[in-house]
Amino acid sequence: MDSTTAMYVAQGIHGLAYGMILFLVASGLTMIFGMMGILNLAHAAFFMLSAYFSYQALAMTGNYWIALLAAPLATAVVGVLVERFLLRKVHAFGHVGELLLTVGVSLVILDAVKAFWGTESLYVDLPESLKGLIHVGGLEYPVYRLFVIGLALVVLFIMAFLLYRTRLGMVVRAAVSDADMVNALGINVPLVFMLVFGIGTWMAGVAGVAIAPILTVFPGLADQMGMDAFLVVVTGGFGSLSGAFIISLVFGELSSYGVQFISALAPVLMFVLMAIILVIKPTGLFGERE
Amino acid sequence: MLLEVKDLNTYYGSSHALQGMNLQVDEGELVALLGRNGMGKSTTLKSIMGLVKPRSGSVKFRGVDITGLAPFKVARAGIGYVPEERRIFPTLTVFDNLMMGVKRGKMVTGDPDAWTLEKIYSHFPVLEKRRRQKGHTLSGGEQQMLAIARTLMGNPELLLVDEPTEGLAPLMVKEVRDMLADVHKAGVSTLFVEHNLKVAMSLAQRLYLMGKAHLAFTGTVEELDAQPEIREKYLEV
Ligand SMILES: Nc1ncnc2c1ncn2[C@@H]1O[C@H](COP(=O)(O)OP(=O)(O)OP(=O)(O)O)[C@@H](O)[C@H]1O
Ligand SMILES: [Mg+2]
């Protein structure tokens, strides 16, 4: 095939892979917001922490697959502990307290990461099976990007199953619209909050592991992803998973093709899209609240 | 005594919304809580449920102190709550809304008096017809039925219902009224808040009447009937 088509396809796949990673982060953020009413400003820090965990696990075991499994789980454990022993304690004092607490947690994680691993970029080496390109129908696809897309789809499938086919999912969907009512019906809402927080940080953790081989591991990972995920949640509508999904993919492609064609404008494209959507629909694409 | 509320004080910030509130509900009773707007009726129910935390005083259920417990613990103790705004889960189906009321996800089996799906459907036929519809597509009256049925799925020993007939068309008001009488006859003790005096007087055995943040009168329907000056002071506009 000619080189222009190949470039389009490659750019498209890069965009899709980034969009999927973005969705893994943004979906946790929007779910936690929908249920608990708080913007978890430490969410991106968990994402970064997981990237470091994957680097460390790989350094210790030499096995990428162990790193892939262990890092998000370790991140989720940290998330659950933060929810159970910090966030829950300040819940009674309102959202400002919770917001400040998550800022504090993100600063602590950032400093801890710098203390343990320094500020240099760390490289996560992929196993041979995930390197290189595969050729299908005359086109070339980067294997790792395809793997990331597949991984995100698996996580997406697990989430959809949990959310729409289990009682826990039903409770979560109900609590997104009215947590107090769920509580008054006899359901242990604090426990559900903890689980959702854990699942949300686990997904951010999967995203962190996925991004590590692409961007390398460094403390600034959190800022970049935090901003993008925040934009996705605002634009897609606070608490809306489908909104987060659509906007993540659009943002992924926008940044990928944007860099290619109008690189000077690429960083602001997402803001432009957000502004347009919010002018038309102030609650975001599928959002119900201001 | 099934429910005993004693000297309850509840605040919203610095505003003193309940000032030494008292009330009781006995096993098998159907009791109304009346009063003008903003007197603290809903706050009383929310304080019992633990949805707002009372600062002092006590709530006892079957003699056990449940003051300020988390709402889910109050519900598990046996108190069911149907809120003022109904608060149906809009994105869930009618069936799933009902399932949300089931305690610990387990249906009660083996008890012939228990509220099961079949029993709910026979008392609320409209809910069976609409079981696949999303909650937000129901009419106001249907939402009220669903809100009551959802709570009954948890088999409460005491039902707290806040303004069940609010905003309903006259025909629907009668239907909801009859439904509450029906549920009470099925053995559920009930405390309900009501603005519609006709509904309250025709349904309740005993009444509590609230003035601003406190109890103003308590007695039977006949006793209230015999005291027009009290009705005038605390109810009529
Ligand atoms: N969340 C809240 N924050 C602050 N004040 C509140 C809150 N909820 C109720 N109040 C105030 O507490 C008082 C009692 O309110 P409550 O809702 O209990 O009254 P009510 O008797 O149920 O009135 P209505 O008949 O209008 O439903 C009112 O003055 C109200 O403005
Ligand atoms: Mg009220």
Side-chain angles (χ1 to χ4, degrees):
Chain A
M1 85 182 158
D2 65 86
S3 59
T4 330
T5 320
M7 185 200 70
Y8 271 112
V9 171
Q11 244 13 77
I13 287 181
H14 281 208
L16 188 57
Y18 184 66
M20 286 294 208
I21 290 174
L22 190 52
F23 174 69
L24 289 181
V25 179
S27 56
L29 195 58
T30 207
M31 209 159 66
I32 290 166
F33 181 87
M35 262 197 79
M36 308 167 78
I38 54 164
L39 192 59
N40 175 18
L41 292 174
H43 199 64
F46 288 115
F47 158 81
M48 171 195 64
L49 185 64
S50 185
Y52 276 99
F53 280 165
S54 74
Y55 167 83
Q56 194 62 42
L58 189 60
M60 281 158 56
T61 66
N63 186 324
Y64 175 80
W65 305 104
I66 291 178
L68 180 65
L69 278 179
L73 282 180
T75 308
V77 169
V78 177
V80 163
L81 292 176
V82 165
E83 200 287 329
R84 177 65 185 82
F85 294 105
L86 297 175
L87 214 44
R88 194 181 293 187
K89 301 270 192 266
V90 301
H91 185 71
F93 305 106
H95 291 334
V96 175
E98 292 172 314
L99 206 66
L100 288 177
L101 181 84
T102 64
V103 174
V105 168
S106 73
L107 292 177
V108 169
I109 292 178
L110 189 65
D111 273 350
V113 156
K114 285 179 184 166
F116 274 110
W117 290 286
T119 53
E120 299 283 303
S121 276
L122 305 174
Y123 292 85
V124 170
D125 200 20
L126 288 168
E128 287 307 320
S129 54
L130 292 179
K131 284 180 180 165
L133 303 165
I134 53 169
H135 303 261
V136 181
L139 295 174
E140 289 179 326
Y141 301 95
V143 174
Y144 184 65
R145 308 289 168 135
L146 292 179
F147 173 74
V148 166
I149 294 166
L151 179 69
L153 284 176
V154 169
V155 173
L156 194 65
F157 181 80
I158 296 172
M159 285 310 123
F161 180 83
L162 279 179
L163 211 49
Y164 293 100
R165 288 281 177 275
T166 66
R167 180 167 168 90
L168 175 66
M170 178 175 83
V171 167
V172 169
R173 282 182 291 137
V176 165
S177 49
D178 194 341
D180 270 354
M181 190 63 229
V182 174
N183 202 335
L185 286 172
I187 292 162
N188 189 343
V189 168
L191 179 68
V192 177
F193 277 5
M194 194 179 82
L195 285 174
V196 167
F197 204 87
I199 292 173
T201 44
W202 177 78
M203 292 207 289
V206 173
V209 180
I211 207 112
I214 300 176
L215 295 182
T216 75
V217 183
F218 57 100
L221 269 183
D223 292 339
Q224 170 70 45
M225 183 53 82
M227 180 51 84
D228 284 3
F230 176 69
L231 292 180
V232 166
V233 171
V234 173
T235 314
F238 279 104
S240 164
L241 278 178
S242 34
F245 184 66
I246 292 171
I247 299 297
S248 293
L249 295 193
V250 172
F251 275 12
E253 294 301 346
L254 212 55
S255 61
S256 176
Y257 284 114
V259 167
Q260 192 69 31
F261 298 110
I262 28 174
S263 56
L265 283 180
V268 298
L269 280 179
M270 284 171 58
F271 285 96
V272 172
L273 178 69
M274 175 175 84
I276 293 171
I277 290 181
L278 293 187
V279 163
I280 299 169
K281 199 161 179 297
T283 56
L285 198 56
F286 292 124
E288 275 145 29
R289 37 184 141 187
E290 303 285 331
Chain B
M1 194 62 57
L2 192 58
L3 177 75
E4 193 172 13
V5 172
K6 235 192 205 150
D7 207 20
L8 213 55
N9 285 281
T10 299
Y11 289 76
Y12 292 111
S14 60
S15 123
H16 198 168
L18 288 186
Q19 304 174 7
M21 182 62 187
N22 292 290
L23 66 77
Q24 287 157 17
V25 180
D26 234 330
E27 187 100 50
E29 273 196 307
L30 182 51
V31 179
L33 180 57
L34 313 177
R36 292 206 176 100
N37 288 115
M39 296 293 106
K41 304 179 298 297
S42 298
T43 303
T44 301
L45 297 194
K46 286 177 188 166
S47 300
I48 296 169
M49 267 328 278
L51 286 162
V52 295
K53 305 273 179 243
R55 196 173 289 179
S56 67
S58 73
V59 180
K60 284 189 178 148
F61 186 62
R62 292 197 179 289
V64 179
D65 192 351
I66 56 163
T67 322
L69 285 186
F72 75 91
K73 289 184 181 158
V74 176
R76 287 176 182 182
I79 302 182
Y81 173 63
V82 183
E84 202 167 5
E85 318 79 12
R86 286 140 206 174
R87 291 162 71 174
I88 294 307
F89 304 116
T91 58
L92 266 55
T93 61
V94 168
F95 178 82
D96 282 353
N97 266 280
L98 289 173
M99 287 302 123
M100 285 296 297
V102 178
K103 301 254 177 72
R104 296 169 196 267
K106 284 193 214 72
M107 298 276 214
V108 178
T109 49
D111 179 356
D113 289 334
W115 291 91
T116 59
L117 206 53
E118 296 73 48
K119 187 166 165 189
I120 289 286
Y121 283 158
S122 76
H123 279 76
F124 305 83
V126 65
L127 297 182
E128 178 163 29
K129 214 169 74 199
R130 306 224 181 280
R131 65 186 183 282
R132 291 201 183 84
Q133 258 172 257
K134 290 275 163 71
H136 70 88
T137 65
L138 298 188
S139 74
E142 290 165 348
Q143 290 200 8
Q144 187 61 63
M145 297 292 191
L146 178 56
I148 296 170
R150 176 179 65 183
T151 301
L152 287 176
M153 287 297 283
N155 283 290
E157 293 169 67
L158 171 68
L159 194 60
L160 308 178
V161 192
D162 202 346
E163 302 209 21
T165 66
E166 193 190 21
L168 300 183
L171 213 65
M172 211 57 221
V173 168
K174 188 179 175 315
E175 216 168 299
V176 169
R177 193 219 85 94
D178 294 347
M179 180 57 56
L180 284 174
D182 189 29
V183 166
H184 174 246
K185 221 186 297 150
V188 184
S189 312
T190 306
L191 171 66
F192 70 105
V193 172
E194 185 54 73
H195 266 294
N196 185 326
L197 205 57
K198 237 174 82 188
V199 169
M201 302 280 262
S202 72
L203 206 51
Q205 303 159 333
R206 281 195 308 121
L207 306 160
Y208 287 97
L209 194 50
M210 283 188 84
K212 184 76 198 151
H214 69 283
L215 192 63
F217 168 89
T218 166
T220 62
V221 174
E222 294 72 32
E223 282 166 349
L224 183 62
D225 235 7
Q227 289 174 273
E229 70 284 357
I230 289 200
R231 287 216 312 270
E232 199 168 314
K233 184 159 179 219
Y234 293 108
L235 286 173
E236 276 137 35
V237 232

